[in-house]
Amino acid sequence: MARMFTNSIYYVHEKSSMAELNKEIPVSQPKVQADDPQVFKENMHELVSDLVKKAKEIDSLIEVLPGIQQTEEEQVK
């Protein structure tokens, strides 16, 4: 999941377009490798869905782990 997260951050960093935050400071050099805004939005939605799905899978696995109420021998069974 950590790799998915870092890859998602890398994608956002590399493929996002520049946004003008202040009218007095225009964007002078737009990113060449930026995705089309619609493609970027769709890819972001997919990345978020994948991260949420993976987090839910991890939560499900954690839920079925034996608790501390059981001895080590009971947990191994």
Side-chain angles (χ1 to χ4, degrees), residues 3-71:
R3 182 164 306 249
M4 287 175 68
F5 188 71
T6 55
N7 288 345
S8 297
I9 291 172
Y10 178 79
Y11 172 79
V12 171
H13 174 72
E14 290 295 316
K15 298 298 184 174
S16 61
S17 60
M18 303 294 277
E20 185 176 271
L21 301 177
N22 186 332
K23 296 286 184 192
E24 296 174 13
I25 306 172
V27 175
S28 59
Q29 294 181 338
K31 283 186 171 178
V32 176
Q33 73 272 19
D35 282 347
D36 176 69
Q38 183 61 31
V39 171
F40 182 76
K41 184 178 178 179
E42 291 169 1
N43 288 341
M44 286 296 296
H45 187 270
E46 182 179 351
L47 290 171
V48 169
S49 296
D50 291 347
L51 283 168
V52 169
K53 181 180 175 185
K54 184 57 71 177
K56 287 180 180 181
E57 289 173 2
I58 291 171
D59 283 344
S60 296
L61 290 172
I62 290 170
E63 288 296 320
V64 298
L65 290 173
I68 59 173
Q69 301 87 351
Q70 298 175 329
T71 66

